[in-house]
Amino acid sequence: MTQVRPGPGAPDARSTRARYRRILRFAGRQLAVTWWYELFLPRIGLARVSARTRPKRMRHFAQRFHALAVELGGLMIKVGQFMSSRLDVLPPEITAELEGLQDEVPPVPFAGIRALAEAELGLPLERAFAMVDETPVAAASLGQAHRALLSPADAAETGLEQVIIKVQRPGIGAIVDVDLAALRRVGGWLSRVRLVSDRVNAPALVEEFARTSLEEIDYLHEAAGCEHFASDFEGDDRVAVPAVVWERTTRRVLTLGDVTAIKITDAEALRAAGIDPAEVAPVFAAVMFDQLFTNGFFHADPHPGNIFVTPVADGPHPWVLTFIDFGMMGEVTATTRSGLRKLLFAAAARDGKGLVSAMRDVGVLLPTTDSTELEKAMTQLFARFGGMGFAELREVDPREFRDFAVQFGETVRSLPFQLPENFLLVIRAMSLTSGVCSALDPEFNMWNSIEPYAAQLLRDERGNVVKDVAQQAVEIAGIALRLPKRMDALLTRIEDGNVAVTNPQLEKRVARLERTGRRAVSAILFGALLIAGAVVLSTDAVLGTVLMVASVVPLLYTLIGGRGRS
């Protein structure tokens, strides 16, 4: 198990054992209740009782966990927030109750913050900074932030004077260790309950959460994420990022330039500064989708407290979006991007089975999945909405979407289905983006921002297809150009008597050349059909799909045709 080094103020062994037992008792009690209602009662013919009481039990569990998380703090608040985002594996009664769980806790007395910061920096705060405000700007379950001023020497070197010092809560290292140990124990219990293990890989979920949490409390990781983000938007006059003061940054102390400005959802303050909130919404959405679909590195926690709108007096725009808190970042890897493309093409072809197959490819469905019901649900979804463009979808009664969401959600929760971490963070970022944009402008339509990025993704994929086919065409053309010469050389050797006609190798060689010719023609035909389908798809989805599917026949012959007779 990854250990987090305890710091000043670490809880004693007795309190950590008590915390560990408290978490396990809560989990054990819930497992006992679940066993009684979900396994025992159905076996004695009382399944209706179990089904009738399920929503109330789920809400009661979520309420009790909410209270436990607020009392214990530490990772328990993060667990609640994590659970509220797992719409793929948890019922809405739980996710709805926990989505309001805020990471706000009473601040730590400044003496504890001072002791930890001085131990990390290796010198008294009075020497490290010209001034530190003892009243925190923010206090969360894992860390606490204070305003400060750099010393004149550091200010001259960095070009900064006002900074924010983010310091881990004293003792959080030991608390994280205890919480993760308890969660891993609970994950092991759940893996032995077939009712759970058939639907979700609980230990994998715990490790996913552990990795994200450990990265979030490593401030060197956050500082690196901040600079990575800044480099992605270098020269972009829409975005600003605080500078990292590396001389005053360690794994548990992070010093950044103070970029505090107008909170993005503070409509009154925006208007007072002469900024129309409705103009901020599309810019924010465009910046977020640039991160997701262009840069591949994105802010996975863009809630209103992490984005400011900063007025600019002499810039090309009157304001910029300033991002802070880079502890939770996501990456759209090459594998994820490929999976998204497969999903998009399956959706474009209205192919429910193909969509489910793409889900398997990216690890969304566990190996034990019987996906028949999911394929039916997706086929029905495509049958109703598959032929609609964005403009038509905007006119659909929202109740229809809700009905399908309920049906799809029930299907998802009945299958061994979970979103990989990359997809989870993408969905989290998109959900928060939608919420912020709606708060800025109730009339804002997310389709208007996401449509060009979806179209670009498809255009990129077509470009890749054309590039691959062009490369194959060059290779095939080379074979085709060399083929007459090789045939002529062979015939010349036969005429000159250099090759015995009775040699059985001759028949094999001629047959192989004939198959090469047929496969070359098939490959060219495959490329032509595929390119035609990709081009036509944008204007005629049916014809484009038919052409692309038809290209599979010559492709199969190109790849495997005639091998059995070699």
Side-chain angles (χ1 to χ4, degrees), residues 93-117:
E93 291 82 8
I94 292 179
T95 57
E97 176 66 30
L98 295 178
E99 65 183 1
L101 188 61
Q102 298 296 315
D103 192 2
E104 297 176 358
V105 298
V108 176
F110 186 71
I113 294 295
R114 172 190 289 275
L116 190 149

Side-chain angles (χ1 to χ4, degrees), residues 237-496:
D237 51 28
R238 302 170 300 170
V239 177
V241 181
V244 178
V245 183
W246 286 101
E247 295 80 1
R248 296 291 178 260
T249 294
T250 70
R251 194 172 61 82
R252 295 192 293 171
V253 174
L254 174 62
T255 305
L256 301 168
D258 187 354
V259 293
T260 307
I262 303 171
K263 186 177 180 180
I264 190 170
T265 52
D266 189 344
E268 184 177 344
L270 288 173
R271 294 190 184 97
I275 301 170
D276 183 358
E279 294 180 358
V280 176
V283 176
F284 174 59
V287 167
M288 287 304 303
F289 289 125
D290 275 345
Q291 298 171 46
L292 289 164
F293 296 112
T294 302
N295 301 340
F297 183 74
F298 63 95
H299 199 301
D301 196 23
H303 64 74
N306 284 340
I307 301 104
F308 298 117
V309 178
T310 306
V312 178
D314 54 356
H317 295 290
W319 50 268
V320 297
L321 294 170
T322 302
F323 287 76
I324 62 171
D325 195 350
F326 300 91
M328 186 183 296
M329 305 298 291
E331 291 190 57
V332 182
T333 63
T335 300
T336 302
R337 189 173 174 84
S338 175
L340 287 173
R341 285 171 172 159
K342 290 180 181 179
L343 290 169
L344 279 175
F345 276 119
R350 286 175 277 178
D351 179 6
K353 290 186 177 181
L355 194 69
V356 173
S357 176
M359 291 178 181
R360 289 183 187 277
D361 289 347
V362 296
V364 170
L365 294 175
L366 298 181
T368 57
T369 305
D370 178 3
S371 58
T372 304
E373 291 302 316
L374 182 58
E375 290 175 1
K376 288 180 181 178
M378 298 312 302
T379 300
Q380 185 178 356
L381 187 69
F382 284 133
R384 176 64 183 91
F385 303 113
M388 295 185 177
F390 286 97
E392 294 173 293
L393 286 171
R394 285 197 290 265
E395 303 301 322
V396 174
D397 188 337
R399 288 175 294 184
E400 291 194 53
F401 289 120
R402 286 197 294 270
D403 291 343
F404 271 91
V406 169
Q407 176 186 356
F408 184 67
E410 289 300 321
T411 300
V412 165
R413 284 187 291 275
S414 69
L415 293 172
F417 173 99
Q418 63 182 17
L419 293 176
E421 171 68 7
N422 288 332
F423 279 84
L424 171 64
L425 293 181
V426 168
I427 291 173
R428 175 183 174 85
M430 292 181 70
S431 176
L432 289 171
T433 299
S434 178
V436 170
C437 290
S438 296
L440 288 165
D441 179 11
E443 302 299 320
F444 180 79
N445 194 321
M446 186 63 72
W447 289 111
N448 293 335
S449 291
I450 198 172
E451 182 175 6
Y453 288 97
Q456 183 61 48
L457 198 60
L458 288 172
R459 283 196 296 271
D460 289 347
E461 180 64 18
R462 289 174 189 164
N464 291 336
V465 169
V466 171
K467 181 179 178 180
D468 291 344
V469 170
Q471 183 176 356
Q472 293 175 11
V474 170
E475 295 174 357
I476 293 167
I479 294 173
L481 288 172
R482 292 192 299 271
L483 186 58
K485 186 176 181 180
R486 293 175 66 186
M487 289 289 290
D488 182 64
L490 178 60
L491 292 174
T492 300
R493 291 175 64 189
I494 294 173
E495 291 175 354
D496 293 343

Side-chain angles (χ1 to χ4, degrees), residues 493-514:
R493 291 175 64 189
I494 294 173
E495 291 175 354
D496 293 343
N498 294 329
V499 177
V501 178
T502 58
N503 191 333
Q505 293 297 324
L506 176 60
E507 295 179 2
K508 290 185 178 181
R509 186 172 297 182
V510 172
R512 188 177 297 114
L513 287 172
E514 289 177 349

Side-chain angles (χ1 to χ4, degrees), residues 513-551:
L513 287 172
E514 289 177 349
R515 286 195 300 273
T516 299
R518 288 195 296 268
R519 292 171 67 184
V521 173
S522 295
I524 293 172
L525 182 59
F526 157 70
L529 287 172
L530 189 61
I531 293 173
V535 173
V536 171
L537 189 64
S538 60
T539 56
D540 190 332
V542 175
L543 178 57
T545 302
V546 169
L547 289 172
M548 294 177 75
V549 171
S551 71

